[in-house]
Amino acid sequence: CRCNLGKDLGYRGGAQTQAMRLLALNSDLFKNRMFRRVRNEWVLPVHFKTCLLSLFQFPFGRRLPCDIYWHGVSFHDNDIFSGQVNKFPGMTEMVRKITLSRAVRTMQDLFPLEYNFYPRSWILPEEFPLFVAEVRMMKDSDPSWKPTFIVKPDGGCQGDGIYLIKDPSDIRLTGSIQSRPAVVQEYICKPLLVDKLKFDIRLYVLLKSLEPLEIYIAKDGLSRFCTEPYQEPTLKNLHQVFMHLTNYSLNIHSGNFIHSDSVNTGSKRTFSSILCRLSSRGADVKKLWSDIISLVIKTIIALTPELKVYYQSDIPAGKPGPTCFQILGFDILLMKNLKPMLLEVNANPSMRIEHEQELSPGVFENVPSPVDEEVKVAVIRDTLRLVDPHKKKRKDIQCQTLEQVSEASEELLAAGRADRADCEAGRGPEAGLPSLCLKQVFPKYAKQFNYLRLVDRVAALFIRFLGVKGTTKLGPTGFRTFIRNCKLSNSNFSMASVDILYIDITRRWNSTGIDHKESGMCLQAFVEAFFCLAQKKYKSLPLHEQVASLIDFCEYHLAALDEKRLVCGRGIVERRSAVVPCQTDGLHLTPAAHTPLPNRTATASKFADYRNHRY
Ligand code: ADP
């Protein structure tokens, strides 16, 4: 199996860093004798029998197709036609603070209770008046409410540009905020403290596949501590970053920062060590884990609709292309009552397992960080195990695969012999490996969460009408066709009103300045229009039922239309050259060709197949 580290893909900076990062990781893994260098290749022959992975470097450009492409920053390579890439198209954009807040808010509109793990947020500058009005209203209804807010610049990281405020009037609206949009969020004032310090959790999540949805969560994560004892925010302490912000990159500059030489002390610890401590205090750790799993699944459900739009645009269905997987970093804060709250999702979580130490003034050295190593090596190892392209083949042809891969070198042959011995002894190539640290949570718990996947189904409608491959925005004709094919227009809702709805919503979304590259209606605008239509049609129901009913209605009509086209297509084949008055591409059948609608049961069963998100 060939694995490309991205170095040859024309990436600068990030990709190089990632390649270096992985090599740094490798060099550490050499100590564990997991990776070894054989001529030009890095191999994992002994402790990694499941993968027999060769990491090729192509300093003069990649010529051979690879099984796994390990990109540094984002998915962007038009020359990949097979294999697996470690990034999803559009993921970096999706987890930016504003986009994530928007995606979660859509879900909060539909399922407010299920999505109460994300602090109330407003987008600046456009929602500043709304922010002021809502805060005033909440203060009026509860005068004892003394909130604090945290302002975070969009696209910022490592605590960059973040500040706390007590009142909307404290927002720095002049200068940078105008040019740099931000999210303002309710500040969680009562976090859980350990040793009187605030801390957050970094959990690693593997999104192994988008369709069908497959999610894995690492059993252990990192806990990153503040370096000043926590006090609830007051006007006096608002600016004390070492007390309020848990970022490693900030706290490392505090004189109180303690580099851990074990996994349960210092300013960065394993999450499992915190859980042990909580458990010994009698906390319900099982419930906490199940709340965290639910937070992760729900967040990914909020992200998938737009990710699917990006995916079909970069990797159109029916054309050769790679499949994708991605390691995400989830930042979670525990409240005093142990409720986990989502802070943010990172598309490029750091995989460094070393930290810098100042030996003498100005002289730095990279030293191993046992806590990072404990958590991150397992995440990388298991990701490679799960995406191992030989795994499936091995299942089919068992030990035969070893004959082929072991040709690479003497070392690999030795490994192959060891594996063959394992196979012969009935132990299998995974024998002797640590058990997986990545645990599957979806589809394992799909039954509990599938009802939340409404926007996914709206996105499927959107993608169907996008028309031209490679676009992410719907034109006015596509929108009209959607309305017509789903039979949403009637005497109360004329096609002229459809056009007005399209123009109104599209103009507003395009004026938010998020994406000027393409004109047309983005998915979020389509979702807003869809909600609007649902509210119009099913007045008295709660929003999620209105939306679900409208989706059912649209899917029913589209399934019926597909059925008609199928019948029409059969007619064409049967009558060969006969002229059939049947139009495709969303136009109605002419009355002459109008076959009676198939009975409702037949259509409904086809329609059940079509709704592939409802199990
Ligand atoms: P960045 O990407 O810059 O790290 P984050 O959203 O992770 O931005 O915020 C930085 C830090 O601020 C977090 O690690 C956390 O300690 C703190 N923080 C962020 N949002 C909140 C919040 N709503 N309530 C309390 N603390 C928060």
Side-chain angles (χ1 to χ4, degrees):
C1 148
R2 267 185 215 100
C3 181
N4 180 286
L5 290 184
K7 203 173 178 181
D8 62 306
L9 296 176
Y11 287 97
R12 301 277 169 271
Q16 297 276 10
T17 324
Q18 178 77 19
M20 297 307 291
R21 236 189 247 156
L22 215 89
L23 291 176
L25 189 76
N26 294 352
S27 68
D28 225 83
L29 291 172
F30 292 143
K31 280 190 219 139
N32 309 334
R33 300 179 62 79
M34 280 175 82
F35 278 82
R36 281 193 225 155
R37 192 178 179 117
V38 181
R39 282 185 224 116
N40 236 358
E41 299 166 23
W42 300 108
V43 295
L44 296 86
V46 182
H47 296 264
F48 216 110
K49 288 172 208 153
T50 175
C51 203
L52 285 177
L53 179 82
S54 303
L55 302 176
F56 286 81
Q57 287 185 69
F58 300 97
F60 305 111
R62 169 172 59 80
R63 283 181 213 100
L64 293 170
C66 295
D67 295 300
I68 302 169
Y69 299 82
W70 198 278
H71 286 198
V73 180
S74 59
F75 175 91
H76 203 268
D77 188 337
N78 296 332
D79 273 348
I80 302 180
F81 303 107
S82 62
Q84 302 179 77
V85 184
N86 73 329
K87 299 279 185 251
F88 279 92
M91 185 65 90
T92 310
E93 289 81 353
M94 276 314 299
V95 299
R96 285 174 75 100
K97 292 181 171 61
I98 287 184
T99 343
L100 176 71
S101 296
R102 280 214 168 98
V104 175
R105 188 190 295 172
T106 303
M107 296 307 290
Q108 286 174 330
D109 288 345
L110 289 168
F111 303 103
L113 288 180
E114 286 87 341
Y115 278 82
N116 67 4
F117 58 81
Y118 190 68
R120 206 176 342 217
S121 305
W122 297 265
I123 290 152
L124 298 178
E126 65 189 82
E127 290 178 358
F128 182 67
L130 184 73
F131 171 50
V132 174
E134 288 193 357
V135 170
R136 190 178 306 131
M137 215 172 67
M138 289 185 282
K139 277 186 174 169
D140 286 349
S141 66
D142 177 9
S144 68
W145 187 53
K146 300 270 178 282
T148 303
F149 302 97
I150 182 164
V151 185
K152 312 188 207 178
D154 188 43
C157 60
Q158 305 188 329
D160 170 37
I162 290 182
Y163 61 96
L164 303 188
I165 54 169
K166 285 300 241 178
D167 191 83
S169 61
D170 300 331
I171 285 202
R172 298 168 201 163
L173 266 177
T174 48
S176 66
I177 199 84
Q178 293 291 7
S179 52
R180 202 174 172 190
V183 165
V184 59
Q185 202 169 67
E186 231 181 297
Y187 185 75
I188 298 155
C189 292
K190 294 186 191 303
L192 178 74
L193 305 182
V194 164
D195 299 336
K196 299 196 172 101
L197 300 169
K198 176 176 170 177
F199 67 98
D200 75 354
I201 309 160
R202 157 61 59 87
L203 271 189
Y204 295 93
V205 170
L206 172 68
L207 180 56
K208 185 166 175 278
S209 152
L210 200 55
E211 191 72 68
L213 187 57
E214 261 186 86
I215 309 169
Y216 290 76
I217 301 186
K219 278 195 293 188
D220 205 354
L222 300 169
S223 305
R224 300 162 307 183
F225 281 73
C226 279
T227 41
E228 290 284 344
Y230 183 76
Q231 286 165 14
E232 284 195 29
T234 60
L235 281 175
K236 276 196 181 147
N237 69 29
L238 280 187
H239 61 280
Q240 294 195 27
V241 289
F242 298 149
M243 176 186 287
H244 291 294
L245 307 189
T246 49
N247 299 78
Y248 166 81
S249 50
L250 292 174
N251 283 283
I252 189 135
H253 300 295
S254 151
N256 296 338
F257 192 92
I258 304 168
H259 282 295
S260 315
D261 48 15
S262 78
V263 290
N264 52 11
T265 57
S267 300
K268 201 193 265 184
R269 311 180 194 176
T270 59
F271 180 44
S272 53
S273 74
I274 304 291
L275 286 176
C276 269
R277 220 158 134 171
L278 292 176
S279 172
S280 68
R281 285 193 215 158
D284 188 348
V285 172
K286 248 184 163 171
K287 169 158 188 331
L288 173 58
W289 252 119
S290 117
D291 289 348
I292 289 176
I293 289 172
S294 148
L295 174 153
V296 167
I297 295 176
K298 287 173 185 172
T299 305
I300 291 186
I301 285 178
L303 297 174
T304 52
E306 223 162 326
L307 280 177
K308 284 182 183 171
V309 174
Y310 280 110
Y311 199 93
Q312 64 78 39
S313 157
D314 274 39
I315 311 170
K319 285 200 179 158
T323 54
C324 303
F325 66 93
Q326 187 151 359
I327 298 172
L328 301 168
F330 272 66
D331 291 349
I332 293 168
L333 189 70
L334 294 185
M335 286 174 46
K336 208 173 176 173
N337 60 4
L338 287 192
K339 180 179 168 59
M341 297 292 284
L342 176 69
L343 296 179
E344 71 163 351
V345 181
N346 236 287
N348 282 305
S350 161
M351 283 297 167
R352 278 192 66 163
I353 54 168
E354 295 172 322
H355 61 79
E356 265 186 0
Q357 207 167 45
E358 193 165 13
L359 295 177
S360 54
V363 182
F364 292 89
E365 186 193 45
N366 279 336
V367 292
S369 161
V371 185
D372 288 287
E373 189 169 334
E374 168 97 11
V375 173
K376 294 176 183 173
V377 168
V379 171
I380 299 256
R381 183 197 63 214
D382 283 2
T383 300
L384 291 172
R385 278 167 85 179
L386 285 167
V387 301
D388 172 6
H390 286 297
K391 203 168 181 170
K392 196 177 168 298
K393 280 188 218 157
R394 247 198 318 264
K395 268 191 193 149
D396 303 334
I397 52 170
Q398 301 230 329
C399 301
Q400 286 174 18
T401 326
L402 289 165
E403 306 283 350
Q404 297 151 18
V405 283
S406 62
E407 282 167 12
S409 68
E410 263 309 303
E411 287 262 355
L412 282 172
L413 271 171
R417 277 195 292 275
D419 269 9
R420 191 162 33 222
D422 275 348
C423 283
E424 280 157 10
R427 289 192 292 264
E430 297 232 354
L433 279 171
S435 65
L436 281 171
C437 83
L438 288 173
K439 290 288 167 203
Q440 195 201 70
V441 293
F442 203 96
K444 189 173 178 194
Y445 301 120
K447 273 194 190 138
Q448 280 159 258
F449 296 96
N450 269 336
Y451 75 100
L452 298 172
R453 303 181 72 190
L454 286 184
V455 187
D456 251 9
R457 291 168 63 199
V458 177
L461 296 173
F462 177 79
I463 289 169
R464 179 179 167 130
F465 290 95
L466 270 182
V468 189
K469 296 264 185 263
T471 55
T472 55
K473 291 195 174 173
L474 190 65
T477 316
F479 190 68
R480 278 175 143 252
T481 314
F482 153 69
I483 297 283
R484 224 187 278 125
N485 286 6
C486 295
K487 304 212 183 309
L488 295 176
S489 158
N490 52 37
S491 54
N492 287 332
F493 187 52
S494 66
M495 286 315 274
S497 320
V498 169
D499 289 341
I500 292 172
L501 180 74
Y502 176 88
I503 292 167
D504 261 8
I505 294 185
T506 304
R507 190 177 292 159
R508 191 151 33 76
W509 275 90
N510 288 349
S511 71
T512 59
I514 297 208
D515 179 8
H516 283 309
K517 276 177 276 169
E518 262 185 79
S519 63
M521 184 181 240
C522 62
L523 174 69
Q524 290 290 330
F526 182 78
V527 169
E528 187 183 323
F530 197 89
F531 285 14
C532 198
L533 294 168
Q535 281 164 319
K536 239 182 195 318
K537 200 169 166 64
Y538 303 98
K539 289 198 177 68
S540 55
L541 300 173
L543 182 66
H544 68 271
E545 286 182 30
Q546 292 173 332
V547 171
S549 304
L550 188 64
I551 296 172
D552 284 348
F553 183 86
C554 294
E555 288 177 344
Y556 171 77
H557 283 291
L558 293 175
L561 190 70
D562 289 346
E563 189 87 22
K564 272 186 194 172
R565 285 185 185 157
L566 207 70
V567 171
C568 219
R570 268 195 228 120
I572 293 173
V573 173
E574 279 161 18
R575 277 174 274 155
R576 297 258 163 93
S577 57
V579 180
V580 180
C582 175
Q583 292 169 305
T584 52
D585 270 334
L587 299 176
H588 294 288
L589 292 169
T590 60
H594 198 144
T595 41
L597 247 185
N599 73 46
R600 208 186 149 99
T601 337
T603 310
S605 74
K606 188 172 165 51
F607 154 52
D609 293 343
Y610 179 79
R611 292 182 309 166
N612 55 0
H613 298 312
R614 277 199 143 184
Y615 305 124

